[in-house]
Amino acid sequence: MRVILLGPPGAGKGTQAQRLVAKYGIVQLSTGDMLRAAVAAGTPVGLRAKHIMERGELVPDDVVIAIIAERISRPDAARGFVLDGFPRTVPQAQALDRLLVERGLKLDGVIELKVDEDMLLARIQKRVAEMTARGEKLRADDNPEVLKGRLAAYRAQTAPLAGYYDAKGQLKPVDGMAPIDEVTAAIDRLLAGSGPAPAKAVEKPARPRKPAGRAPKRGRRATRTVKKARGKKASTRKASGRRKGRAAAVKRRKPGRKSGRPARTRRNPSSRRRLTKAR
Ligand code: ADP
């Protein structure tokens, strides 16, 4: 399972990403988290990204593309991944497409969490208040001023990705304003319906299905019929081979006979009695 979560800051990408991780056993790849780790560790990438992030602007494409290229090659990403916060620009999306093609991988979908922008500020303020109450360390960019910048960056650089993926038939919009569990359920439904293309292409036309448990029974009966038929003459064998389906049975029914079953195949009365006794 390979999914992209698209949506503005505060849309709930992180929450839904964690649920996808739990459901599909895949890894969450959040460029925001990776960059924050790089900043904390003081790596060259971290030093480059620190001030850009604090202003709520986007880190250069080449930096995040290099991070993602390395990350999706690690063994733990082999089962799949949910990308949260990447891609964030059209060039990043194009680079991701190239990376996937090179590795022979396909995306299962791009989930767009659609939210009302006016609500975002309130949501993030609530998140900040809750974190403060729990005594957790706040993100440097989690303040109203920087948030406006993050939203502006989203509108200008990331929102066009919806059109990019829609044109490729990969966009799956979800109402991100619904309660968390409902958003999760909507995502589940969207992903359940999307499978790898070849599986869809070979899908058989729909026909009524019998309960799964009956299949082996039918198989056994068919074997028995073949065994029984072996001793018969060729003409009789052919006749039993033709005995298929209700329409055929009706055709073969003798006039005046209520049951379509030929007399010779009726269960003999003594065996029926034995069955009744056994019960
Ligand atoms: P948000 O809650 O705003 O979606 P993230 O944790 O995803 O925050 O990202 C925090 C910051 O990290 C962004 O504002 C940006 O500076 C930087 N960043 C994260 N992902 C990317 C990316 N794909 N491209 C450029 N910058 C990124």
Side-chain angles (χ1 to χ4, degrees):
M1 178 65 71
R2 285 171 219 95
V3 188
I4 293 175
L5 286 179
L6 205 60
K13 298 187 297 288
T15 306
Q16 297 302 331
Q18 280 166 19
R19 292 180 173 207
L20 289 169
V21 164
K23 184 174 166 85
Y24 295 103
I26 55 181
V27 286
Q28 174 185 0
L29 306 184
S30 157
T31 38
D33 286 349
M34 292 176 206
L35 288 168
R36 277 186 288 277
V39 170
T43 66
V45 164
L47 293 177
R48 204 173 153 193
K50 188 174 187 291
H51 299 292
I52 300 173
M53 292 172 74
E54 281 170 1
R55 288 196 299 271
E57 294 165 10
L58 294 190
V59 172
D61 287 340
D62 60 327
V63 174
V64 279
I65 292 167
I67 292 178
I68 284 293
E70 186 276 328
R71 189 62 189 85
I72 63 174
S73 306
R74 290 199 212 156
D76 65 348
R79 265 183 73 90
F81 47 76
V82 47
L83 289 171
D84 153 17
F86 182 92
R88 242 178 168 96
T89 64
V90 171
Q92 288 181 21
Q94 290 165 336
L96 176 65
D97 281 345
R98 284 194 297 274
L99 285 174
L100 294 175
V101 168
E102 277 165 26
R103 291 161 168 77
L105 303 175
K106 278 212 166 77
L107 277 181
D108 291 284
V110 178
I111 306 287
E112 183 194 13
L113 294 172
K114 293 184 83 75
V115 286
D116 175 0
E117 264 205 27
D118 295 339
M119 287 296 293
L120 291 175
L121 202 61
R123 263 197 195 184
I124 296 192
Q125 278 165 350
K126 189 173 164 235
R127 184 168 82 189
V128 168
E130 284 168 357
M131 286 175 75
T132 312
R134 287 196 298 264
E136 290 173 27
K137 198 168 174 281
L138 289 181
R139 270 169 54 169
D141 57 354
D142 256 349
N143 68 68
E145 252 339 284
V146 179
L147 180 66
K148 280 182 198 146
R150 283 157 62 194
L151 281 173
Y154 181 82
R155 265 196 304 269
Q157 292 163 279
T158 311
L161 286 183
Y164 177 86
Y165 286 115
D166 196 22
K168 289 159 69 82
Q170 292 176 312
L171 193 72
K172 298 173 191 295
V174 167
D175 174 14
M177 301 303 291
I180 292 176
D181 287 346
E182 280 178 32
V183 177
T184 306
I187 294 175
D188 281 351
R189 281 195 297 275
L190 286 169
L191 292 178
S194 83
K200 264 191 184 169
V202 297
E203 211 171 84
K204 286 183 189 156
R207 66 179 176 146
R209 292 178 66 150
K210 299 233 169 86
R214 288 186 63 101
K217 211 175 168 190
R218 265 189 280 138
R220 279 206 305 277
R221 205 189 300 152
T223 319
R224 248 185 274 136
T225 314
V226 170
K227 272 186 195 159
K228 261 195 219 162
R230 248 182 230 144
K232 291 180 191 170
K233 281 187 201 159
S235 59
T236 334
R237 249 200 319 267
K238 227 175 167 185
S240 29
R242 269 203 316 264
R243 230 187 310 121
K244 266 184 193 167
R246 186 171 161 75
V250 171
K251 255 193 188 171
R252 285 195 305 277
R253 194 179 290 169
K254 285 188 185 166
R257 194 188 288 282
K258 273 188 183 168
S259 156
R261 187 185 273 191
R264 62 187 160 75
T265 65
R266 285 231 191 105
R267 199 178 268 149
N268 105 32
S270 60
S271 71
R272 190 181 297 166
R273 226 175 294 132
R274 272 204 306 276
L275 279 174
T276 323
K277 267 188 201 163
R279 258 185 239 141

Short mmCIF file of all heavy atoms in Angstrom, two decimals, residues 100-150:
data_model
loop_
_atom_site.label_atom_id
_atom_site.label_comp_id
_atom_site.label_asym_id
_atom_site.label_seq_id
_atom_site.Cartn_x
_atom_site.Cartn_y
_atom_site.Cartn_z
N LEU A 100 9.28 6.42 -8.30
CA LEU A 100 8.42 5.23 -8.26
C LEU A 100 8.60 4.41 -9.55
O LEU A 100 8.69 3.18 -9.50
CB LEU A 100 6.95 5.63 -8.07
CG LEU A 100 6.62 6.27 -6.71
CD1 LEU A 100 5.18 6.75 -6.67
CD2 LEU A 100 6.88 5.30 -5.56
N VAL A 101 8.66 5.09 -10.68
CA VAL A 101 8.84 4.38 -11.96
C VAL A 101 10.17 3.62 -11.94
O VAL A 101 10.22 2.44 -12.28
CB VAL A 101 8.78 5.37 -13.15
CG1 VAL A 101 9.25 4.71 -14.44
CG2 VAL A 101 7.37 5.91 -13.33
N GLU A 102 11.23 4.29 -11.49
CA GLU A 102 12.55 3.64 -11.43
C GLU A 102 12.52 2.36 -10.60
O GLU A 102 13.21 1.40 -10.88
CB GLU A 102 13.56 4.59 -10.74
CG GLU A 102 14.17 5.63 -11.66
CD GLU A 102 14.85 6.75 -10.85
OE1 GLU A 102 15.28 6.50 -9.68
OE2 GLU A 102 14.91 7.85 -11.39
N ARG A 103 11.69 2.38 -9.56
CA ARG A 103 11.64 1.22 -8.66
C ARG A 103 10.50 0.27 -9.01
O ARG A 103 10.25 -0.70 -8.29
CB ARG A 103 11.48 1.69 -7.20
CG ARG A 103 12.72 2.40 -6.68
CD ARG A 103 12.37 3.24 -5.47
NE ARG A 103 13.53 3.73 -4.75
CZ ARG A 103 14.28 4.75 -5.14
NH1 ARG A 103 14.02 5.37 -6.27
NH2 ARG A 103 15.32 5.14 -4.42
N GLY A 104 9.78 0.56 -10.06
CA GLY A 104 8.66 -0.29 -10.47
C GLY A 104 7.51 -0.29 -9.47
O GLY A 104 6.82 -1.30 -9.31
N LEU A 105 7.31 0.82 -8.78
CA LEU A 105 6.25 0.90 -7.76
C LEU A 105 5.09 1.75 -8.24
O LEU A 105 5.26 2.64 -9.07
CB LEU A 105 6.83 1.51 -6.47
CG LEU A 105 8.03 0.80 -5.85
CD1 LEU A 105 8.56 1.58 -4.66
CD2 LEU A 105 7.65 -0.62 -5.42
N LYS A 106 3.91 1.45 -7.68
CA LYS A 106 2.71 2.22 -8.04
C LYS A 106 2.07 2.82 -6.79
O LYS A 106 2.12 2.21 -5.72
CB LYS A 106 1.70 1.30 -8.70
CG LYS A 106 1.97 1.06 -10.17
CD LYS A 106 0.63 0.86 -10.91
CE LYS A 106 0.80 0.95 -12.40
NZ LYS A 106 1.38 -0.24 -13.01
N LEU A 107 1.43 3.97 -6.98
CA LEU A 107 0.69 4.58 -5.88
C LEU A 107 -0.71 3.97 -5.84
O LEU A 107 -1.29 3.71 -6.89
CB LEU A 107 0.50 6.08 -6.14
CG LEU A 107 1.62 7.05 -5.77
CD1 LEU A 107 1.18 8.46 -6.11
CD2 LEU A 107 1.98 6.93 -4.30
N ASP A 108 -1.24 3.76 -4.63
CA ASP A 108 -2.62 3.27 -4.54
C ASP A 108 -3.61 4.41 -4.48
O ASP A 108 -4.79 4.21 -4.69
CB ASP A 108 -2.77 2.37 -3.30
CG ASP A 108 -2.00 1.08 -3.49
OD1 ASP A 108 -2.49 0.23 -4.23
OD2 ASP A 108 -0.89 0.96 -2.95
N GLY A 109 -3.12 5.58 -4.16
CA GLY A 109 -4.02 6.73 -4.16
C GLY A 109 -3.43 7.95 -3.47
O GLY A 109 -2.48 7.84 -2.69
N VAL A 110 -4.02 9.08 -3.81
CA VAL A 110 -3.64 10.34 -3.17
C VAL A 110 -4.90 10.82 -2.44
O VAL A 110 -5.89 11.18 -3.08
CB VAL A 110 -3.19 11.38 -4.21
CG1 VAL A 110 -2.84 12.71 -3.54
CG2 VAL A 110 -2.01 10.86 -5.02
N ILE A 111 -4.87 10.74 -1.12
CA ILE A 111 -6.03 11.14 -0.33
C ILE A 111 -5.92 12.63 -0.04
O ILE A 111 -4.95 13.07 0.59
CB ILE A 111 -6.08 10.37 1.02
CG1 ILE A 111 -6.01 8.86 0.79
CG2 ILE A 111 -7.28 10.79 1.84
CD1 ILE A 111 -7.24 8.24 0.24
N GLU A 112 -6.90 13.38 -0.49
CA GLU A 112 -6.89 14.82 -0.20
C GLU A 112 -7.87 15.11 0.95
O GLU A 112 -9.08 14.89 0.81
CB GLU A 112 -7.32 15.62 -1.44
CG GLU A 112 -7.24 17.12 -1.19
CD GLU A 112 -7.96 17.95 -2.25
OE1 GLU A 112 -8.73 17.40 -3.06
OE2 GLU A 112 -7.76 19.18 -2.24
N LEU A 113 -7.34 15.57 2.06
CA LEU A 113 -8.19 15.93 3.20
C LEU A 113 -8.66 17.36 2.98
O LEU A 113 -7.88 18.31 3.08
CB LEU A 113 -7.40 15.82 4.51
CG LEU A 113 -6.97 14.40 4.90
CD1 LEU A 113 -6.04 14.43 6.09
CD2 LEU A 113 -8.18 13.53 5.19
N LYS A 114 -9.92 17.48 2.66
CA LYS A 114 -10.47 18.81 2.34
C LYS A 114 -11.00 19.45 3.62
O LYS A 114 -11.84 18.84 4.30
CB LYS A 114 -11.59 18.68 1.30
CG LYS A 114 -11.05 18.22 -0.06
CD LYS A 114 -12.15 18.19 -1.09
CE LYS A 114 -12.39 19.54 -1.71
NZ LYS A 114 -11.36 19.93 -2.67
N VAL A 115 -10.47 20.62 3.92
CA VAL A 115 -10.91 21.30 5.15
C VAL A 115 -11.18 22.77 4.89
O VAL A 115 -10.63 23.38 3.97
CB VAL A 115 -9.85 21.18 6.29
CG1 VAL A 115 -9.81 19.80 6.88
CG2 VAL A 115 -8.48 21.56 5.79
N ASP A 116 -12.01 23.30 5.75
CA ASP A 116 -12.38 24.69 5.68
C ASP A 116 -11.23 25.50 6.32
O ASP A 116 -10.92 25.31 7.50
CB ASP A 116 -13.69 24.82 6.48
CG ASP A 116 -14.17 26.24 6.60
OD1 ASP A 116 -13.49 27.14 6.06
OD2 ASP A 116 -15.21 26.45 7.24
N GLU A 117 -10.63 26.39 5.55
CA GLU A 117 -9.44 27.10 6.03
C GLU A 117 -9.67 27.89 7.32
O GLU A 117 -8.78 27.99 8.16
CB GLU A 117 -8.91 28.03 4.95
CG GLU A 117 -7.81 27.39 4.16
CD GLU A 117 -6.87 28.42 3.53
OE1 GLU A 117 -6.75 29.53 4.06
OE2 GLU A 117 -6.28 28.08 2.50
N ASP A 118 -10.89 28.43 7.46
CA ASP A 118 -11.17 29.23 8.66
C ASP A 118 -11.05 28.38 9.92
O ASP A 118 -10.75 28.89 11.00
CB ASP A 118 -12.61 29.80 8.60
CG ASP A 118 -12.75 30.78 7.45
OD1 ASP A 118 -11.71 31.30 7.00
OD2 ASP A 118 -13.89 31.01 7.01
N MET A 119 -11.31 27.08 9.76
CA MET A 119 -11.27 26.19 10.91
C MET A 119 -9.84 25.80 11.29
O MET A 119 -9.57 25.39 12.41
CB MET A 119 -12.05 24.90 10.61
CG MET A 119 -13.56 25.08 10.57
SD MET A 119 -14.19 25.56 12.16
CE MET A 119 -13.85 24.08 13.10
N LEU A 120 -8.93 25.92 10.34
CA LEU A 120 -7.58 25.42 10.59
C LEU A 120 -6.88 26.16 11.73
O LEU A 120 -6.25 25.53 12.57
CB LEU A 120 -6.74 25.52 9.31
CG LEU A 120 -7.17 24.55 8.22
CD1 LEU A 120 -6.38 24.80 6.94
CD2 LEU A 120 -6.99 23.11 8.67
N LEU A 121 -7.01 27.49 11.69
CA LEU A 121 -6.35 28.28 12.73
C LEU A 121 -6.86 27.84 14.11
O LEU A 121 -6.07 27.59 15.02
CB LEU A 121 -6.62 29.77 12.49
CG LEU A 121 -5.63 30.73 13.12
CD1 LEU A 121 -4.22 30.52 12.58
CD2 LEU A 121 -6.06 32.17 12.86
N ALA A 122 -8.20 27.68 14.21
CA ALA A 122 -8.80 27.27 15.48
C ALA A 122 -8.28 25.89 15.88
O ALA A 122 -7.94 25.65 17.05
CB ALA A 122 -10.32 27.25 15.34
N ARG A 123 -8.19 24.97 14.91
CA ARG A 123 -7.72 23.62 15.22
C ARG A 123 -6.29 23.63 15.75
O ARG A 123 -5.97 22.96 16.72
CB ARG A 123 -7.71 22.79 13.92
CG ARG A 123 -8.92 21.94 13.74
CD ARG A 123 -8.61 20.90 12.70
NE ARG A 123 -9.82 20.26 12.21
CZ ARG A 123 -9.82 19.27 11.35
NH1 ARG A 123 -8.70 18.80 10.86
NH2 ARG A 123 -10.94 18.73 10.96
N ILE A 124 -5.44 24.40 15.08
CA ILE A 124 -4.04 24.41 15.49
C ILE A 124 -3.88 25.08 16.84
O ILE A 124 -3.10 24.63 17.68
CB ILE A 124 -3.15 25.05 14.41
CG1 ILE A 124 -3.23 24.15 13.16
CG2 ILE A 124 -1.70 25.20 14.88
CD1 ILE A 124 -2.25 24.43 12.09
N GLN A 125 -4.69 26.11 17.09
CA GLN A 125 -4.62 26.77 18.41
C GLN A 125 -5.03 25.79 19.50
O GLN A 125 -4.43 25.75 20.57
CB GLN A 125 -5.49 28.02 18.43
CG GLN A 125 -4.74 29.21 17.80
CD GLN A 125 -5.64 30.38 17.45
OE1 GLN A 125 -6.87 30.26 17.49
NE2 GLN A 125 -5.03 31.50 17.09
N LYS A 126 -6.03 24.96 19.18
CA LYS A 126 -6.49 23.95 20.15
C LYS A 126 -5.35 22.94 20.41
O LYS A 126 -5.07 22.58 21.55
CB LYS A 126 -7.72 23.25 19.58
CG LYS A 126 -8.42 22.35 20.58
CD LYS A 126 -9.73 21.83 20.00
CE LYS A 126 -10.23 20.66 20.80
NZ LYS A 126 -10.48 19.47 20.00
N ARG A 127 -4.72 22.52 19.31
CA ARG A 127 -3.62 21.55 19.44
C ARG A 127 -2.50 22.14 20.32
O ARG A 127 -1.97 21.45 21.19
CB ARG A 127 -3.09 21.20 18.04
CG ARG A 127 -2.02 20.12 18.04
CD ARG A 127 -1.74 19.62 16.64
NE ARG A 127 -0.82 20.49 15.89
CZ ARG A 127 -0.57 20.36 14.60
NH1 ARG A 127 -1.18 19.44 13.89
NH2 ARG A 127 0.29 21.15 14.00
N VAL A 128 -2.18 23.39 20.08
CA VAL A 128 -1.13 24.05 20.84
C VAL A 128 -1.52 24.11 22.33
O VAL A 128 -0.71 23.80 23.22
CB VAL A 128 -0.87 25.48 20.29
CG1 VAL A 128 0.01 26.29 21.24
CG2 VAL A 128 -0.23 25.41 18.91
N ALA A 129 -2.80 24.47 22.61
CA ALA A 129 -3.26 24.56 24.00
C ALA A 129 -3.16 23.20 24.68
O ALA A 129 -2.72 23.11 25.84
CB ALA A 129 -4.70 25.08 24.02
N GLU A 130 -3.56 22.12 23.94
CA GLU A 130 -3.52 20.78 24.53
C GLU A 130 -2.08 20.35 24.82
O GLU A 130 -1.79 19.76 25.86
CB GLU A 130 -4.18 19.78 23.58
CG GLU A 130 -5.70 19.87 23.58
CD GLU A 130 -6.34 19.09 22.42
OE1 GLU A 130 -5.60 18.51 21.60
OE2 GLU A 130 -7.59 19.08 22.37
N MET A 131 -1.19 20.66 23.88
CA MET A 131 0.21 20.28 24.08
C MET A 131 0.81 21.04 25.26
O MET A 131 1.55 20.46 26.07
CB MET A 131 1.02 20.56 22.81
CG MET A 131 0.74 19.56 21.70
SD MET A 131 1.59 19.99 20.17
CE MET A 131 3.27 19.53 20.52
N THR A 132 0.45 22.30 25.36
CA THR A 132 0.97 23.12 26.46
C THR A 132 0.48 22.54 27.79
O THR A 132 1.25 22.40 28.75
CB THR A 132 0.52 24.59 26.32
OG1 THR A 132 0.77 25.00 24.98
CG2 THR A 132 1.25 25.51 27.27
N ALA A 133 -0.83 22.17 27.82
CA ALA A 133 -1.41 21.61 29.04
C ALA A 133 -0.71 20.31 29.43
O ALA A 133 -0.55 20.02 30.62
CB ALA A 133 -2.90 21.36 28.83
N ARG A 134 -0.29 19.52 28.43
CA ARG A 134 0.40 18.25 28.73
C ARG A 134 1.88 18.47 29.03
O ARG A 134 2.62 17.52 29.27
CB ARG A 134 0.26 17.29 27.54
CG ARG A 134 -1.15 16.71 27.38
CD ARG A 134 -1.13 15.49 26.46
NE ARG A 134 -0.69 15.82 25.12
CZ ARG A 134 -1.52 16.09 24.11
NH1 ARG A 134 -2.82 16.05 24.29
NH2 ARG A 134 -1.05 16.38 22.91
N GLY A 135 2.31 19.71 28.92
CA GLY A 135 3.71 20.03 29.19
C GLY A 135 4.64 19.62 28.05
O GLY A 135 5.85 19.45 28.26
N GLU A 136 4.07 19.42 26.85
CA GLU A 136 4.91 19.00 25.71
C GLU A 136 5.56 20.21 25.05
O GLU A 136 5.04 21.33 25.12
CB GLU A 136 4.05 18.27 24.68
CG GLU A 136 3.59 16.90 25.16
CD GLU A 136 2.59 16.26 24.21
OE1 GLU A 136 2.63 16.56 23.01
OE2 GLU A 136 1.76 15.47 24.69
N LYS A 137 6.69 19.93 24.40
CA LYS A 137 7.43 21.02 23.75
C LYS A 137 6.70 21.41 22.46
O LYS A 137 6.30 20.54 21.68
CB LYS A 137 8.84 20.51 23.42
CG LYS A 137 9.83 21.63 23.15
CD LYS A 137 11.26 21.06 23.13
CE LYS A 137 12.25 22.15 22.72
NZ LYS A 137 12.29 22.40 21.29
N LEU A 138 6.54 22.69 22.25
CA LEU A 138 5.83 23.15 21.04
C LEU A 138 6.77 23.21 19.84
O LEU A 138 7.98 23.37 20.00
CB LEU A 138 5.26 24.54 21.28
CG LEU A 138 4.07 24.64 22.23
CD1 LEU A 138 3.61 26.09 22.31
CD2 LEU A 138 2.91 23.77 21.75
N ARG A 139 6.17 23.08 18.66
CA ARG A 139 6.94 23.26 17.44
C ARG A 139 7.23 24.74 17.25
O ARG A 139 6.38 25.59 17.55
CB ARG A 139 6.10 22.76 16.25
CG ARG A 139 6.31 21.31 15.95
CD ARG A 139 5.29 20.80 14.98
NE ARG A 139 5.20 21.58 13.74
CZ ARG A 139 4.52 21.18 12.68
NH1 ARG A 139 3.88 20.03 12.71
NH2 ARG A 139 4.47 21.92 11.60
N ALA A 140 8.40 25.03 16.72
CA ALA A 140 8.79 26.44 16.55
C ALA A 140 7.82 27.18 15.62
O ALA A 140 7.64 28.40 15.74
CB ALA A 140 10.21 26.51 15.99
N ASP A 141 7.18 26.41 14.70
CA ASP A 141 6.30 27.08 13.73
C ASP A 141 4.82 27.00 14.10
O ASP A 141 3.95 27.34 13.32
CB ASP A 141 6.52 26.50 12.33
CG ASP A 141 6.29 24.99 12.26
OD1 ASP A 141 6.07 24.37 13.32
OD2 ASP A 141 6.33 24.44 11.15
N ASP A 142 4.54 26.51 15.32
CA ASP A 142 3.14 26.41 15.75
C ASP A 142 2.69 27.68 16.46
O ASP A 142 2.34 27.65 17.64
CB ASP A 142 2.94 25.18 16.66
CG ASP A 142 2.26 24.03 15.91
OD1 ASP A 142 1.76 24.26 14.79
OD2 ASP A 142 2.24 22.92 16.46
N ASN A 143 2.72 28.79 15.77
CA ASN A 143 2.15 30.02 16.36
C ASN A 143 1.38 30.73 15.26
O ASN A 143 1.66 30.55 14.06
CB ASN A 143 3.25 30.90 16.99
CG ASN A 143 4.17 31.47 15.95
OD1 ASN A 143 3.77 32.31 15.15
ND2 ASN A 143 5.41 31.01 15.95
N PRO A 144 0.37 31.52 15.64
CA PRO A 144 -0.56 32.08 14.64
C PRO A 144 0.13 32.81 13.49
O PRO A 144 -0.28 32.68 12.34
CB PRO A 144 -1.42 33.04 15.47
CG PRO A 144 -1.31 32.55 16.86
CD PRO A 144 0.03 31.92 17.00
N GLU A 145 1.19 33.54 13.77
CA GLU A 145 1.86 34.31 12.71
C GLU A 145 2.46 33.38 11.65
O GLU A 145 2.22 33.53 10.45
CB GLU A 145 2.98 35.18 13.32
CG GLU A 145 2.68 36.67 13.37
CD GLU A 145 1.60 37.15 12.41
OE1 GLU A 145 1.92 37.25 11.21
OE2 GLU A 145 0.47 37.43 12.83
N VAL A 146 3.23 32.40 12.15
CA VAL A 146 3.89 31.47 11.22
C VAL A 146 2.85 30.60 10.51
O VAL A 146 2.99 30.27 9.34
CB VAL A 146 4.94 30.61 11.95
CG1 VAL A 146 5.61 29.64 10.99
CG2 VAL A 146 5.99 31.49 12.59
N LEU A 147 1.80 30.28 11.24
CA LEU A 147 0.77 29.44 10.63
C LEU A 147 0.19 30.11 9.38
O LEU A 147 -0.06 29.44 8.37
CB LEU A 147 -0.35 29.15 11.64
CG LEU A 147 -1.46 28.28 11.05
CD1 LEU A 147 -0.92 26.88 10.71
CD2 LEU A 147 -2.64 28.19 11.97
N LYS A 148 0.02 31.41 9.45
CA LYS A 148 -0.50 32.12 8.27
C LYS A 148 0.45 31.92 7.08
O LYS A 148 0.02 31.72 5.95
CB LYS A 148 -0.69 33.61 8.57
CG LYS A 148 -1.97 33.86 9.33
CD LYS A 148 -2.18 35.35 9.58
CE LYS A 148 -3.21 35.52 10.70
NZ LYS A 148 -2.95 36.68 11.54
N GLY A 149 1.72 31.97 7.36
CA GLY A 149 2.73 31.76 6.32
C GLY A 149 2.65 30.33 5.78
O GLY A 149 2.74 30.10 4.56
N ARG A 150 2.46 29.35 6.67
CA ARG A 150 2.37 27.95 6.24
C ARG A 150 1.14 27.75 5.36
O ARG A 150 1.18 27.01 4.37
CB ARG A 150 2.31 27.02 7.46
CG ARG A 150 3.69 26.83 8.11
CD ARG A 150 3.60 26.42 9.56
NE ARG A 150 2.94 25.13 9.76
CZ ARG A 150 2.51 24.70 10.95
NH1 ARG A 150 2.65 25.46 12.03
NH2 ARG A 150 1.95 23.54 11.05
#
